[in-house]
Amino acid sequence: MGENEFGDGLTGAGREAIAVIGMSCRVPGAEDLRSFWRMLAEGEEAIAEPPAGRWPEGVAELARHPRAGFVAGAGDFDAGFFGISPREAAAMDPRQRMVLELSWDALEDAYLPPDSLHGSATAVFLGATGDDY
């Protein structure tokens, strides 16, 4: 087998096409894909002053980082929608909660009911960064 641009030794035989049919995102300055694209197209800056209550009064962190990228609504989560108790939701890492929300948003973007995917060759790929909630 020959090498391709990815160096995996596959040339086409045995390779299957994939289709990205649903996407979602939540980043500083944009709550969804459309607002993210608008923000990029218009050259808007997502770095801002911290929202009220982000850091306790007098925290030295504020002096070092007076502006940053903040995701709106990061603490909001409808635990009941996902069948999670409020106590369990409070103990979850906020990024775990966001993964659930954004996975659901990606399915909605694809117009796919989640129960139709059982047993299918469907995957969810995600990326996340930071641990400073």
Side-chain angles (χ1 to χ4, degrees):
M1 291 190 160
E3 294 279 324
N4 66 20
E5 67 269 35
F6 301 108
D8 61 10
L10 299 176
T11 60
R15 294 183 75 170
E16 296 182 34
I18 62 167
V20 176
I21 60 171
M23 295 174 63
S24 67
C25 76
R26 191 174 307 153
V27 297
E31 295 182 6
D32 57 32
L33 283 167
R34 284 173 189 77
S35 57
F36 182 52
W37 181 252
R38 182 191 49 74
M39 183 181 74
L40 292 174
E42 295 177 7
E44 291 180 15
E45 184 177 342
I47 303 304
E49 298 295 322
R54 176 62 167 96
W55 288 301
E57 286 294 317
V59 169
E61 185 77 13
L62 183 57
R64 289 189 309 221
H65 305 288
R67 294 173 43 89
F70 298 93
V71 176
D76 301 338
F77 182 67
D78 186 355
F81 180 81
F82 293 99
I84 297 172
S85 73
R87 183 177 177 170
E88 182 180 4
M92 290 172 70
D93 184 303
R95 290 171 295 174
Q96 289 176 304
R97 298 188 305 247
M98 197 177 293
V99 163
L100 290 172
E101 293 171 333
L102 292 171
S103 296
W104 188 270
D105 290 349
L107 292 174
E108 285 182 342
D109 185 60
Y111 296 96
L112 285 174
D115 59 353
S116 71
L117 302 175
H118 182 71
S120 70
T122 303
V124 175
F125 295 87
L126 63 104
T129 186
D131 60 355
D132 60 347
Y133 177 75

